[in-house]
Every structure is written in structure tokens, then in C-alpha cells.
Amino acid sequence: MNEIKKNTVLSGVQPSGNLHIGNYLGAIKNFVSMQSDYNCFFCIVDLHAITVKQDPKILKRNTLEVAASYIASGIDPKKSVVFNQSSVSAHSELAWIFNCVTRMGWLNRMTQFKDKAGKDKENASSGLFIYPNLMAADILVYKATHVPVGNDQKQHLELTRDIAQKFNRDFNCENFFPIPEPIIDKDISRIMSLKDGGQKMSKSDLSEYSRISLLDESDEIIKKIKKAKTADTVMPEKIEQILKLSEVNNLLNIYAGFSGIEKEKLIAQYKGQNFSNFKSDLSDILVEQMKPITAEIKKLMQDKGYLIEILLEGQNKANEVAQKTINDVYDIVGFLRNET
Ligand code: AMP
Ligand code: TRP
């Protein structure tokens, strides 16, 4: 008999192009490992992507590319529900309810809005400001209990917990929404730029040399690691010293993340050496692990019909669960429903 899985996972990635090894280590790799033990929903968050300007044709392609990246990384559409956010309207419907639950003061504290809006806040879309409410809706519409994300999403998860608590309290429906737990790995949840250990590896960095893309071929990976910033010293032997060299620490995190070897062991192996052996071994590991994934993404992108079929199947499964929640929510908040 199938064991009943009690806990539910939901996570999402924006189809904003240039998926990189930060997205892989910080998020997607964890999705894969959670599939057997949880009911999993993995979403491609196209509604979130349009909070900043997107080219409609490229958005469609990027949506398929995230689907291909999920599957090539090991997400099994038979085990997990894979779909794009806009195809399940309950996300937007619940987000509206949450727009009326969340306080302005809570949103004003969100650092991602401040970072993304930059200096010209007056010109940012209002969608960018209320973006965390939609993220809370993504999670809570499936009553997800666990959310694997990178460290940059921690504050949004805390807000989601506040929204769930306030909703349950305001409408006197204790335990209606669960209070979801973030799953964030200490070291690999914030992979930094290869050029600047003070900046997050990001899809939008203008320099290709700042990130390793999931679509990079082996020679590009090798070139990028060769050029990656290190330090003018040898590999220190103490972790406290390494933490001060942010670029070296980041490469060690990447190495540990891909190889599964503990950071302390890597430090013991390379201490006192210059960085050339270390970099060449790191390239080998990256190439070995990424090559099959990259090849599979490229292959899947040749078969768009197959990807669309998976998304359609996911949409149907997701809709079933999400529709039930939104019906209950509408009843709880007092919307008159035409019952036949
Ligand atoms: P996004 O590309 O913003 O949709 O992010 C998708 C997922 O990847 C989220 O869980 C992010 O927290 C995670 N993520 C993005 N950039 C990084 C990074 N540099 N290091 C670790 N995780 C990341
Ligand atoms: N905001 C997340 C990011 O930019 C993406 C996202 C949207 C998400 N909805 C989500 C992540 C729900 C986890 C759960 O990376």
C-alpha cells in the first residue's frame, strides 16, 4: 500500500531566463531530494516574472526552459506536480484576499522590493510591491508545510507565515492555513557571483562571467572557473580565515554543494596550495555533474509538445487542490456563492 504523505512542499522559480548554479544548488537540487517524502508542487512563476518588464515571446520560451530544467535536474512529473502559475487562477484569487490581509507596514519592510525597485521607486510596478502576497498565495493555496528556497527568500517566507497566522486569527479558523517552514541550507542557499563575493549570483548580472548557467557547455564552465576571483594568498587552513575571503569561501561552497564532500575536508585537502589545482578539480566536478543536465535541457527544448503536455497535466492536478482551498476561503471571508 502507498504510504500517505502528510506534508506538502511548494516552491517556484521565475521564468526570467539565465537559470544558474545558484538556482540549482539553492533550490532545484533540494526539490529533487524532497520528491519521495512529500506531496510536491513545483511551479514556474510567470505571474511573478511580469512584475518587471518581459518580452512576451521570450517569456513563453523561458517558461518551457524552467520546465525543462526541472525535469533534466531530476524532477519526475509522475511524482511531482509541475505547472505554470498563471494556468491555475486560484493563485491570483487568493493573492487578492491576501492583499487585504497583509499590512502596508509589513510590505514596506521587504528588502527585495527595495533592491529590485532601486532608486526609482515611483516607477516600479505596484505588482512588484505586492509580489510577496502572491508568493504567500502560491504556498498556502496548496496548504504547503515546507518550502525549499534560497536565502534571499527567507524574509518572504516569514511574511507568508505572518499572513497565514493573521488570516487564521482574523477569520476565526484556527489551523486553516498551516504555518509553512522554510528549508534553507546554511552554505549553499546563497551562492555568490564568481566576480564579486559580496554580490549574489544573479540572472540579471550583466556579466556572463559572474555566473555558471545551466546551459553552459563544458569549455565555458572551465573558462569561467579559471577566471573566477580568488585571493592573493594560498588556501588558508582555518575556516575563520576563509570566511574573510568571500570569493574563496563561495567556490568552496560550490565545490561542497556539487561533490557532497564536507567543506572542512576540502580545506584540509587544499590548504597551503595556490588555487590552480583546486580550480581545476572544481571544474572537473562541475563539468561531470552539469554535462548530463545541460544536454537533457537542450534535448527537452527540442520537444516542446512533451513539455506542454507535462504542464497541462500538472495544471489539472494543481487546479483540483487549489480550487478546493479557494472555495473554502471564499466561504470563510463571507462571499456569497451561488449554490445550485
Ligand atoms: P529566482 O530565480 O529568483 O526565481 O529564484 C529561484 C530560486 O533560486 C529561489 O529559491 C531563490 O532563492 C534561489 N536562488 C536564486 N539565486 C540564488 C543564489 N545566488 N544562491 C542560492 N539560491 C538562489
Ligand atoms: N519569489 C521567488 C523568487 O524570486 C519565487 C517564488 C514565487 C517562490 N512563489 C514562490 C518560491 C513560492 C517559493 C515558493 O525566487
Short mmCIF file of all heavy atoms in Angstrom, two decimals, residues 267-299:
data_model
loop_
_atom_site.label_atom_id
_atom_site.label_comp_id
_atom_site.label_asym_id
_atom_site.label_seq_id
_atom_site.Cartn_x
_atom_site.Cartn_y
_atom_site.Cartn_z
N ILE A 267 39.02 21.85 2.69
CA ILE A 267 40.03 22.79 3.18
C ILE A 267 41.31 22.02 3.55
O ILE A 267 42.42 22.41 3.18
CB ILE A 267 39.50 23.60 4.39
CG1 ILE A 267 38.30 24.45 3.95
CG2 ILE A 267 40.58 24.47 5.01
CD1 ILE A 267 37.50 25.08 5.08
N ALA A 268 41.13 20.90 4.22
CA ALA A 268 42.29 20.09 4.62
C ALA A 268 43.05 19.60 3.39
O ALA A 268 44.28 19.54 3.38
CB ALA A 268 41.82 18.90 5.46
N GLN A 269 42.31 19.31 2.32
CA GLN A 269 42.95 18.80 1.10
C GLN A 269 43.75 19.88 0.37
O GLN A 269 44.81 19.59 -0.18
CB GLN A 269 41.86 18.24 0.18
CG GLN A 269 42.38 17.57 -1.07
CD GLN A 269 41.23 17.03 -1.94
OE1 GLN A 269 40.10 16.83 -1.46
NE2 GLN A 269 41.51 16.82 -3.19
N TYR A 270 43.26 21.12 0.36
CA TYR A 270 43.90 22.15 -0.48
C TYR A 270 44.69 23.19 0.32
O TYR A 270 45.29 24.10 -0.27
CB TYR A 270 42.84 22.86 -1.33
CG TYR A 270 42.20 21.94 -2.35
CD1 TYR A 270 40.93 21.41 -2.15
CD2 TYR A 270 42.89 21.57 -3.51
CE1 TYR A 270 40.35 20.55 -3.06
CE2 TYR A 270 42.32 20.72 -4.43
CZ TYR A 270 41.04 20.21 -4.21
OH TYR A 270 40.48 19.36 -5.13
N LYS A 271 44.70 23.09 1.63
CA LYS A 271 45.35 24.14 2.45
C LYS A 271 46.84 24.31 2.06
O LYS A 271 47.50 23.32 1.72
CB LYS A 271 45.21 23.84 3.94
CG LYS A 271 46.00 22.67 4.41
CD LYS A 271 45.85 22.44 5.89
CE LYS A 271 46.67 21.22 6.25
NZ LYS A 271 46.34 20.60 7.48
N GLY A 272 47.26 25.55 2.08
CA GLY A 272 48.66 25.85 1.78
C GLY A 272 48.99 25.85 0.29
O GLY A 272 50.10 26.21 -0.09
N GLN A 273 48.06 25.45 -0.57
CA GLN A 273 48.34 25.43 -2.02
C GLN A 273 47.80 26.69 -2.68
O GLN A 273 46.87 27.30 -2.18
CB GLN A 273 47.64 24.24 -2.67
CG GLN A 273 48.04 22.88 -2.16
CD GLN A 273 47.28 21.78 -2.92
OE1 GLN A 273 46.85 21.95 -4.05
NE2 GLN A 273 47.15 20.63 -2.28
N ASN A 274 48.38 27.02 -3.84
CA ASN A 274 47.72 28.09 -4.60
C ASN A 274 46.43 27.51 -5.18
O ASN A 274 46.15 26.32 -4.99
CB ASN A 274 48.65 28.69 -5.66
CG ASN A 274 48.96 27.70 -6.76
OD1 ASN A 274 48.17 26.80 -7.05
ND2 ASN A 274 50.10 27.85 -7.37
N PHE A 275 45.67 28.32 -5.92
CA PHE A 275 44.31 27.86 -6.23
C PHE A 275 44.18 27.09 -7.54
O PHE A 275 43.08 26.75 -7.94
CB PHE A 275 43.35 29.07 -6.21
CG PHE A 275 43.19 29.64 -4.83
CD1 PHE A 275 43.92 30.75 -4.44
CD2 PHE A 275 42.35 29.03 -3.91
CE1 PHE A 275 43.80 31.25 -3.15
CE2 PHE A 275 42.21 29.53 -2.62
CZ PHE A 275 42.94 30.64 -2.24
N SER A 276 45.31 26.81 -8.21
CA SER A 276 45.16 26.22 -9.55
C SER A 276 44.64 24.77 -9.52
O SER A 276 43.73 24.43 -10.28
CB SER A 276 46.44 26.37 -10.37
OG SER A 276 47.46 25.64 -9.76
N ASN A 277 45.20 23.96 -8.62
CA ASN A 277 44.68 22.57 -8.52
C ASN A 277 43.23 22.56 -8.09
O ASN A 277 42.40 21.81 -8.61
CB ASN A 277 45.43 21.79 -7.43
CG ASN A 277 46.65 21.13 -8.00
OD1 ASN A 277 46.76 21.00 -9.22
ND2 ASN A 277 47.57 20.76 -7.13
N PHE A 278 42.96 23.39 -7.09
CA PHE A 278 41.60 23.49 -6.55
C PHE A 278 40.61 23.85 -7.66
O PHE A 278 39.58 23.20 -7.85
CB PHE A 278 41.60 24.56 -5.44
CG PHE A 278 40.24 24.97 -4.96
CD1 PHE A 278 39.49 24.13 -4.15
CD2 PHE A 278 39.70 26.20 -5.32
CE1 PHE A 278 38.23 24.51 -3.70
CE2 PHE A 278 38.44 26.59 -4.88
CZ PHE A 278 37.70 25.74 -4.08
N LYS A 279 40.99 24.86 -8.46
CA LYS A 279 40.08 25.29 -9.53
C LYS A 279 39.92 24.21 -10.59
O LYS A 279 38.81 24.01 -11.11
CB LYS A 279 40.63 26.56 -10.20
CG LYS A 279 40.31 27.83 -9.45
CD LYS A 279 40.74 29.01 -10.30
CE LYS A 279 40.11 30.30 -9.81
NZ LYS A 279 40.47 31.44 -10.67
N SER A 280 41.01 23.52 -10.88
CA SER A 280 40.88 22.51 -11.94
C SER A 280 40.02 21.33 -11.45
O SER A 280 39.18 20.81 -12.20
CB SER A 280 42.29 22.14 -12.42
OG SER A 280 42.49 20.79 -12.45
N ASP A 281 40.16 20.96 -10.18
CA ASP A 281 39.29 19.89 -9.64
C ASP A 281 37.83 20.35 -9.58
O ASP A 281 36.91 19.57 -9.86
CB ASP A 281 39.75 19.47 -8.24
CG ASP A 281 41.10 18.78 -8.27
OD1 ASP A 281 41.56 18.44 -9.38
OD2 ASP A 281 41.71 18.60 -7.19
N LEU A 282 37.64 21.61 -9.21
CA LEU A 282 36.27 22.14 -9.14
C LEU A 282 35.61 22.12 -10.52
O LEU A 282 34.45 21.71 -10.67
CB LEU A 282 36.30 23.57 -8.56
CG LEU A 282 34.98 24.36 -8.59
CD1 LEU A 282 33.86 23.62 -7.84
CD2 LEU A 282 35.17 25.76 -7.98
N SER A 283 36.37 22.53 -11.55
CA SER A 283 35.84 22.48 -12.92
C SER A 283 35.45 21.06 -13.29
O SER A 283 34.39 20.84 -13.89
CB SER A 283 36.90 22.92 -13.94
OG SER A 283 37.18 24.24 -13.83
N ASP A 284 36.32 20.11 -12.93
CA ASP A 284 36.02 18.70 -13.28
C ASP A 284 34.68 18.26 -12.68
O ASP A 284 33.86 17.64 -13.35
CB ASP A 284 37.11 17.76 -12.74
CG ASP A 284 38.40 17.87 -13.55
OD1 ASP A 284 38.36 18.53 -14.61
OD2 ASP A 284 39.42 17.32 -13.10
N ILE A 285 34.50 18.58 -11.40
CA ILE A 285 33.26 18.18 -10.72
C ILE A 285 32.05 18.85 -11.38
O ILE A 285 31.02 18.21 -11.65
CB ILE A 285 33.28 18.61 -9.22
CG1 ILE A 285 34.38 17.90 -8.47
CG2 ILE A 285 31.93 18.43 -8.56
CD1 ILE A 285 33.97 16.62 -7.82
N LEU A 286 32.19 20.15 -11.65
CA LEU A 286 31.07 20.89 -12.25
C LEU A 286 30.72 20.32 -13.62
O LEU A 286 29.55 20.11 -13.94
CB LEU A 286 31.44 22.37 -12.39
CG LEU A 286 31.22 23.23 -11.16
CD1 LEU A 286 31.87 24.60 -11.33
CD2 LEU A 286 29.73 23.43 -10.91
N VAL A 287 31.75 20.07 -14.42
CA VAL A 287 31.51 19.55 -15.77
C VAL A 287 30.84 18.17 -15.66
O VAL A 287 29.83 17.91 -16.33
CB VAL A 287 32.84 19.46 -16.56
CG1 VAL A 287 32.68 18.62 -17.82
CG2 VAL A 287 33.32 20.86 -16.91
N GLU A 288 31.37 17.34 -14.78
CA GLU A 288 30.82 15.98 -14.64
C GLU A 288 29.34 16.02 -14.24
O GLU A 288 28.52 15.30 -14.79
CB GLU A 288 31.64 15.26 -13.58
CG GLU A 288 31.24 13.82 -13.33
CD GLU A 288 31.88 13.31 -12.05
OE1 GLU A 288 33.13 13.32 -11.97
OE2 GLU A 288 31.13 12.93 -11.12
N GLN A 289 29.01 16.92 -13.30
CA GLN A 289 27.63 16.95 -12.82
C GLN A 289 26.68 17.70 -13.75
O GLN A 289 25.52 17.35 -13.87
CB GLN A 289 27.59 17.61 -11.43
CG GLN A 289 28.46 16.90 -10.43
CD GLN A 289 27.64 16.30 -9.31
OE1 GLN A 289 26.52 16.71 -9.06
NE2 GLN A 289 28.22 15.34 -8.64
N MET A 290 27.20 18.76 -14.38
CA MET A 290 26.31 19.60 -15.19
C MET A 290 26.10 19.09 -16.60
O MET A 290 25.06 19.35 -17.20
CB MET A 290 26.84 21.06 -15.25
CG MET A 290 26.76 21.82 -13.95
SD MET A 290 25.16 21.71 -13.15
CE MET A 290 24.08 22.36 -14.41
N LYS A 291 27.08 18.37 -17.13
CA LYS A 291 27.01 17.96 -18.54
C LYS A 291 25.72 17.21 -18.87
O LYS A 291 25.02 17.57 -19.82
CB LYS A 291 28.24 17.11 -18.88
CG LYS A 291 28.61 17.18 -20.33
CD LYS A 291 29.91 16.45 -20.57
CE LYS A 291 30.20 16.49 -22.06
NZ LYS A 291 31.50 16.01 -22.36
N PRO A 292 25.36 16.17 -18.10
CA PRO A 292 24.13 15.46 -18.44
C PRO A 292 22.88 16.33 -18.29
O PRO A 292 21.93 16.20 -19.07
CB PRO A 292 24.08 14.28 -17.45
CG PRO A 292 25.15 14.51 -16.46
CD PRO A 292 26.09 15.54 -16.98
N ILE A 293 22.89 17.22 -17.31
CA ILE A 293 21.72 18.09 -17.09
C ILE A 293 21.57 19.07 -18.27
O ILE A 293 20.50 19.21 -18.84
CB ILE A 293 21.84 18.83 -15.73
CG1 ILE A 293 21.83 17.82 -14.59
CG2 ILE A 293 20.72 19.87 -15.58
CD1 ILE A 293 22.02 18.42 -13.20
N THR A 294 22.70 19.70 -18.63
CA THR A 294 22.68 20.66 -19.75
C THR A 294 22.21 19.97 -21.03
O THR A 294 21.36 20.50 -21.77
CB THR A 294 24.09 21.25 -19.94
OG1 THR A 294 24.50 21.81 -18.70
CG2 THR A 294 24.11 22.31 -21.01
N ALA A 295 22.75 18.77 -21.28
CA ALA A 295 22.38 18.06 -22.51
C ALA A 295 20.89 17.73 -22.50
O ALA A 295 20.20 17.86 -23.52
CB ALA A 295 23.21 16.78 -22.62
N GLU A 296 20.39 17.34 -21.34
CA GLU A 296 18.97 16.97 -21.25
C GLU A 296 18.06 18.21 -21.41
O GLU A 296 17.02 18.12 -22.06
CB GLU A 296 18.72 16.27 -19.90
CG GLU A 296 17.35 15.67 -19.70
CD GLU A 296 16.98 14.53 -20.66
OE1 GLU A 296 17.89 13.97 -21.32
OE2 GLU A 296 15.78 14.24 -20.77
N ILE A 297 18.46 19.34 -20.85
CA ILE A 297 17.65 20.56 -21.03
C ILE A 297 17.56 20.86 -22.52
O ILE A 297 16.47 21.12 -23.06
CB ILE A 297 18.26 21.79 -20.30
CG1 ILE A 297 18.34 21.56 -18.79
CG2 ILE A 297 17.44 23.06 -20.60
CD1 ILE A 297 19.06 22.68 -18.02
N LYS A 298 18.71 20.79 -23.20
CA LYS A 298 18.73 21.14 -24.63
C LYS A 298 17.88 20.15 -25.44
O LYS A 298 17.18 20.54 -26.37
CB LYS A 298 20.17 21.21 -25.14
CG LYS A 298 20.87 22.44 -24.56
CD LYS A 298 22.28 22.65 -25.05
CE LYS A 298 22.83 23.95 -24.43
NZ LYS A 298 24.23 24.17 -24.66
N LYS A 299 17.95 18.89 -25.04
CA LYS A 299 17.15 17.88 -25.75
C LYS A 299 15.64 18.12 -25.52
O LYS A 299 14.85 18.11 -26.46
CB LYS A 299 17.55 16.48 -25.22
CG LYS A 299 17.00 15.35 -26.04
CD LYS A 299 17.54 14.00 -25.59
CE LYS A 299 16.38 13.08 -25.35
NZ LYS A 299 16.62 12.08 -24.31
#
